[in-house]
Amino acid sequence: QKGGFKHFMLKEILEEPDVIVEALRGRIKNGEIEIPELDFDKNYFKNINQVYFVACGTAYHAGLVGKYLVEKYLNIPAQAEVASEFRYRNPVIDERTLVFVVSQSGETADTLAALRLAKEKKAKTIGIVNVVGSSVAREVDKVVYIHAGPEIAVASTKAYVAQVEVITLSILHLAKIIDKLNEANEKLFVEEFQKLEGFAREILENKEEIASFVSTTKNIEETFFIGRNLDYALSLEGALKLKEIAYVHAEGYPAGELKHGPLALITPNSLVIAIDTFTPLSDKTISNIKEVKARGGKVLAIAKKDNTRIKEVADSVFYIPNVLDDLTPIITVIPLQLFAYYMADARGLDIDKPRNLAKSVTVE
Ligand code: M6R
């Protein structure tokens, strides 16, 4: 069943290049982005004045990427919120609100309750779901499947990749409907989406680099993941994976917030994973890395190949291909998942079934 792999988690990470292709299938036609499931017209959208992403865990982190992209490409106020918070307050939403409900299983209790609340308040709903025919898929107005195939390991990996890809495609599709994506931009995205499979393969070919890095870090007890903008969303996901399967306390933090508190924790024993793939803010992130280095902390950076400055500041760098900025989460997450995987393996843990956790959280 594991196809010869030591763990389902590794098998599922190695499937990611194929998952990237499957999630794209039928969604780029004749050089155009098109999500046939979201067959809205301009009028439907005329009154939408806010967008929400509600989800739990990794799916929430995928939604956070969506929030940044909605603001950028639809120019509509957007929020991402964990479903267990959303459902127990009074979210001010109505029929002018569009709610994306993101769930691999489609059965997560809090996510389902948040969806029902959104519908009660007459919001429009779109599901980004993996399991076909699941509760979320059945109850949303429109469902867009991510086609990631069965995910067995408790830690969600390939589903995140496909969720972010499908959310990005959906937002670009909606931007087209409301005339906010010009032809040149669409062409660029189409070209760049098609490079992702190869980029993912390239990263996986270099996975031993991450494994060898882990040989020096396997005994650490805490770490910070830092980044800005989409890299911040990624830092939350990198930290969650490490906590969940390697049992290492990890915090995802906006790089710019370090000096507002956590910098006090940085000592020569600290490890910081700095994600610096979002080019417009790279200079800022590099300044934050310098702040960590000045306190003696050790920095592993994840950066694009064309980032020439990073090696001067970080102790080690894992390079990823030069992916388009807005698509970085889809492939930058791979080294973060591998880091958590190799850490857990080096510590001899039960990777596919981490303690206290279930694959599908169907009770509150
Ligand atoms: O099935 P869902 O996507 O709704 O699950 C949401 C979370 O329970 C899930 O992503 C969880 O955080 C993962 N175990 C993280 O790896």
Side-chain angles (χ1 to χ4, degrees), residues 116-132:
R116 289 175 182 157
L117 176 65
K119 287 181 70 175
E120 229 175 83
K121 290 177 176 273
K122 310 269 181 290
K124 300 183 163 62
T125 57
I126 295 177
I128 306 290
V129 179
N130 193 31
V131 177
V132 176

PDB file of all heavy atoms in Angstrom, residues 116-132:
ATOM      1  N   ARG A 116     -22.497  25.848   7.631  1.00  0.00           N
ATOM      2  CA  ARG A 116     -23.950  25.938   7.880  1.00  0.00           C
ATOM      3  C   ARG A 116     -24.334  27.320   8.391  1.00  0.00           C
ATOM      4  O   ARG A 116     -25.357  27.888   8.009  1.00  0.00           O
ATOM      5  CB  ARG A 116     -24.394  24.832   8.840  1.00  0.00           C
ATOM      6  CG  ARG A 116     -24.339  23.480   8.132  1.00  0.00           C
ATOM      7  CD  ARG A 116     -24.635  22.307   9.023  1.00  0.00           C
ATOM      8  NE  ARG A 116     -24.501  21.065   8.246  1.00  0.00           N
ATOM      9  CZ  ARG A 116     -24.265  19.875   8.760  1.00  0.00           C
ATOM     10  NH1 ARG A 116     -24.147  19.720  10.071  1.00  0.00           N
ATOM     11  NH2 ARG A 116     -24.166  18.815   7.985  1.00  0.00           N
ATOM     12  N   LEU A 117     -23.482  27.900   9.238  1.00  0.00           N
ATOM     13  CA  LEU A 117     -23.746  29.248   9.746  1.00  0.00           C
ATOM     14  C   LEU A 117     -23.708  30.256   8.590  1.00  0.00           C
ATOM     15  O   LEU A 117     -24.581  31.132   8.487  1.00  0.00           O
ATOM     16  CB  LEU A 117     -22.687  29.610  10.803  1.00  0.00           C
ATOM     17  CG  LEU A 117     -22.748  31.022  11.369  1.00  0.00           C
ATOM     18  CD1 LEU A 117     -24.045  31.245  12.150  1.00  0.00           C
ATOM     19  CD2 LEU A 117     -21.541  31.292  12.285  1.00  0.00           C
ATOM     20  N   ALA A 118     -22.735  30.109   7.719  1.00  0.00           N
ATOM     21  CA  ALA A 118     -22.613  31.029   6.581  1.00  0.00           C
ATOM     22  C   ALA A 118     -23.869  30.949   5.708  1.00  0.00           C
ATOM     23  O   ALA A 118     -24.406  31.973   5.252  1.00  0.00           O
ATOM     24  CB  ALA A 118     -21.366  30.692   5.770  1.00  0.00           C
ATOM     25  N   LYS A 119     -24.358  29.734   5.523  1.00  0.00           N
ATOM     26  CA  LYS A 119     -25.550  29.567   4.686  1.00  0.00           C
ATOM     27  C   LYS A 119     -26.798  30.149   5.358  1.00  0.00           C
ATOM     28  O   LYS A 119     -27.641  30.759   4.708  1.00  0.00           O
ATOM     29  CB  LYS A 119     -25.758  28.091   4.354  1.00  0.00           C
ATOM     30  CG  LYS A 119     -24.725  27.605   3.330  1.00  0.00           C
ATOM     31  CD  LYS A 119     -24.910  26.166   2.955  1.00  0.00           C
ATOM     32  CE  LYS A 119     -26.157  25.947   2.121  1.00  0.00           C
ATOM     33  NZ  LYS A 119     -26.243  24.546   1.679  1.00  0.00           N
ATOM     34  N   GLU A 120     -26.871  29.964   6.667  1.00  0.00           N
ATOM     35  CA  GLU A 120     -27.987  30.533   7.430  1.00  0.00           C
ATOM     36  C   GLU A 120     -28.045  32.049   7.245  1.00  0.00           C
ATOM     37  O   GLU A 120     -29.101  32.650   7.191  1.00  0.00           O
ATOM     38  CB  GLU A 120     -27.695  30.270   8.896  1.00  0.00           C
ATOM     39  CG  GLU A 120     -28.798  29.677   9.707  1.00  0.00           C
ATOM     40  CD  GLU A 120     -28.228  29.384  11.098  1.00  0.00           C
ATOM     41  OE1 GLU A 120     -28.171  30.320  11.951  1.00  0.00           O
ATOM     42  OE2 GLU A 120     -27.803  28.231  11.284  1.00  0.00           O
ATOM     43  N   LYS A 121     -26.861  32.647   7.143  1.00  0.00           N
ATOM     44  CA  LYS A 121     -26.778  34.093   6.978  1.00  0.00           C
ATOM     45  C   LYS A 121     -26.815  34.492   5.508  1.00  0.00           C
ATOM     46  O   LYS A 121     -26.487  35.618   5.154  1.00  0.00           O
ATOM     47  CB  LYS A 121     -25.501  34.617   7.648  1.00  0.00           C
ATOM     48  CG  LYS A 121     -25.546  34.534   9.172  1.00  0.00           C
ATOM     49  CD  LYS A 121     -24.239  34.996   9.786  1.00  0.00           C
ATOM     50  CE  LYS A 121     -24.316  35.014  11.299  1.00  0.00           C
ATOM     51  NZ  LYS A 121     -24.834  36.273  11.851  1.00  0.00           N
ATOM     52  N   LYS A 122     -27.122  33.543   4.656  1.00  0.00           N
ATOM     53  CA  LYS A 122     -27.359  33.776   3.214  1.00  0.00           C
ATOM     54  C   LYS A 122     -26.100  34.058   2.399  1.00  0.00           C
ATOM     55  O   LYS A 122     -26.172  34.576   1.279  1.00  0.00           O
ATOM     56  CB  LYS A 122     -28.374  34.917   2.984  1.00  0.00           C
ATOM     57  CG  LYS A 122     -29.665  34.826   3.760  1.00  0.00           C
ATOM     58  CD  LYS A 122     -30.703  34.079   2.923  1.00  0.00           C
ATOM     59  CE  LYS A 122     -32.045  33.933   3.583  1.00  0.00           C
ATOM     60  NZ  LYS A 122     -32.109  33.019   4.728  1.00  0.00           N
ATOM     61  N   ALA A 123     -24.935  33.773   2.980  1.00  0.00           N
ATOM     62  CA  ALA A 123     -23.700  33.978   2.210  1.00  0.00           C
ATOM     63  C   ALA A 123     -23.651  32.989   1.049  1.00  0.00           C
ATOM     64  O   ALA A 123     -24.298  31.939   1.083  1.00  0.00           O
ATOM     65  CB  ALA A 123     -22.491  33.783   3.113  1.00  0.00           C
ATOM     66  N   LYS A 124     -22.869  33.339   0.035  1.00  0.00           N
ATOM     67  CA  LYS A 124     -22.638  32.410  -1.074  1.00  0.00           C
ATOM     68  C   LYS A 124     -21.431  31.549  -0.715  1.00  0.00           C
ATOM     69  O   LYS A 124     -20.480  32.040  -0.105  1.00  0.00           O
ATOM     70  CB  LYS A 124     -22.377  33.196  -2.355  1.00  0.00           C
ATOM     71  CG  LYS A 124     -23.563  34.080  -2.709  1.00  0.00           C
ATOM     72  CD  LYS A 124     -23.378  34.813  -3.999  1.00  0.00           C
ATOM     73  CE  LYS A 124     -24.704  35.354  -4.526  1.00  0.00           C
ATOM     74  NZ  LYS A 124     -25.335  36.336  -3.605  1.00  0.00           N
ATOM     75  N   THR A 125     -21.476  30.279  -1.069  1.00  0.00           N
ATOM     76  CA  THR A 125     -20.406  29.395  -0.606  1.00  0.00           C
ATOM     77  C   THR A 125     -19.769  28.596  -1.747  1.00  0.00           C
ATOM     78  O   THR A 125     -20.454  28.123  -2.654  1.00  0.00           O
ATOM     79  CB  THR A 125     -20.947  28.402   0.451  1.00  0.00           C
ATOM     80  OG1 THR A 125     -22.037  27.672  -0.113  1.00  0.00           O
ATOM     81  CG2 THR A 125     -21.421  29.122   1.704  1.00  0.00           C
ATOM     82  N   ILE A 126     -18.453  28.477  -1.651  1.00  0.00           N
ATOM     83  CA  ILE A 126     -17.692  27.647  -2.601  1.00  0.00           C
ATOM     84  C   ILE A 126     -16.864  26.668  -1.764  1.00  0.00           C
ATOM     85  O   ILE A 126     -16.167  27.082  -0.836  1.00  0.00           O
ATOM     86  CB  ILE A 126     -16.731  28.503  -3.456  1.00  0.00           C
ATOM     87  CG1 ILE A 126     -17.500  29.479  -4.358  1.00  0.00           C
ATOM     88  CG2 ILE A 126     -15.805  27.613  -4.315  1.00  0.00           C
ATOM     89  CD1 ILE A 126     -16.610  30.412  -5.181  1.00  0.00           C
ATOM     90  N   GLY A 127     -16.930  25.396  -2.078  1.00  0.00           N
ATOM     91  CA  GLY A 127     -16.115  24.404  -1.357  1.00  0.00           C
ATOM     92  C   GLY A 127     -14.869  24.060  -2.153  1.00  0.00           C
ATOM     93  O   GLY A 127     -14.932  23.886  -3.380  1.00  0.00           O
ATOM     94  N   ILE A 128     -13.744  23.995  -1.450  1.00  0.00           N
ATOM     95  CA  ILE A 128     -12.488  23.525  -2.059  1.00  0.00           C
ATOM     96  C   ILE A 128     -12.198  22.207  -1.337  1.00  0.00           C
ATOM     97  O   ILE A 128     -11.764  22.197  -0.181  1.00  0.00           O
ATOM     98  CB  ILE A 128     -11.334  24.541  -1.840  1.00  0.00           C
ATOM     99  CG1 ILE A 128     -11.713  25.943  -2.337  1.00  0.00           C
ATOM    100  CG2 ILE A 128     -10.029  24.043  -2.474  1.00  0.00           C
ATOM    101  CD1 ILE A 128     -11.815  26.107  -3.845  1.00  0.00           C
ATOM    102  N   VAL A 129     -12.518  21.103  -1.963  1.00  0.00           N
ATOM    103  CA  VAL A 129     -12.644  19.830  -1.255  1.00  0.00           C
ATOM    104  C   VAL A 129     -11.889  18.721  -1.995  1.00  0.00           C
ATOM    105  O   VAL A 129     -11.801  18.735  -3.225  1.00  0.00           O
ATOM    106  CB  VAL A 129     -14.154  19.462  -1.148  1.00  0.00           C
ATOM    107  CG1 VAL A 129     -14.350  18.135  -0.436  1.00  0.00           C
ATOM    108  CG2 VAL A 129     -14.935  20.551  -0.425  1.00  0.00           C
ATOM    109  N   ASN A 130     -11.394  17.754  -1.208  1.00  0.00           N
ATOM    110  CA  ASN A 130     -10.750  16.603  -1.862  1.00  0.00           C
ATOM    111  C   ASN A 130     -11.705  15.414  -1.983  1.00  0.00           C
ATOM    112  O   ASN A 130     -11.856  14.848  -3.056  1.00  0.00           O
ATOM    113  CB  ASN A 130      -9.485  16.197  -1.093  1.00  0.00           C
ATOM    114  CG  ASN A 130      -8.629  15.238  -1.901  1.00  0.00           C
ATOM    115  OD1 ASN A 130      -8.606  15.304  -3.137  1.00  0.00           O
ATOM    116  ND2 ASN A 130      -7.939  14.347  -1.232  1.00  0.00           N
ATOM    117  N   VAL A 131     -12.344  15.052  -0.860  1.00  0.00           N
ATOM    118  CA  VAL A 131     -13.135  13.813  -0.883  1.00  0.00           C
ATOM    119  C   VAL A 131     -14.486  14.044  -1.585  1.00  0.00           C
ATOM    120  O   VAL A 131     -15.325  14.841  -1.148  1.00  0.00           O
ATOM    121  CB  VAL A 131     -13.341  13.270   0.550  1.00  0.00           C
ATOM    122  CG1 VAL A 131     -14.225  12.014   0.519  1.00  0.00           C
ATOM    123  CG2 VAL A 131     -11.983  12.923   1.177  1.00  0.00           C
ATOM    124  N   VAL A 132     -14.638  13.313  -2.674  1.00  0.00           N
ATOM    125  CA  VAL A 132     -15.819  13.465  -3.516  1.00  0.00           C
ATOM    126  C   VAL A 132     -17.069  12.995  -2.761  1.00  0.00           C
ATOM    127  O   VAL A 132     -17.052  11.945  -2.120  1.00  0.00           O
ATOM    128  CB  VAL A 132     -15.631  12.677  -4.830  1.00  0.00           C
ATOM    129  CG1 VAL A 132     -16.884  12.731  -5.701  1.00  0.00           C
ATOM    130  CG2 VAL A 132     -14.430  13.219  -5.593  1.00  0.00           C
TER     131      VAL A 132
END
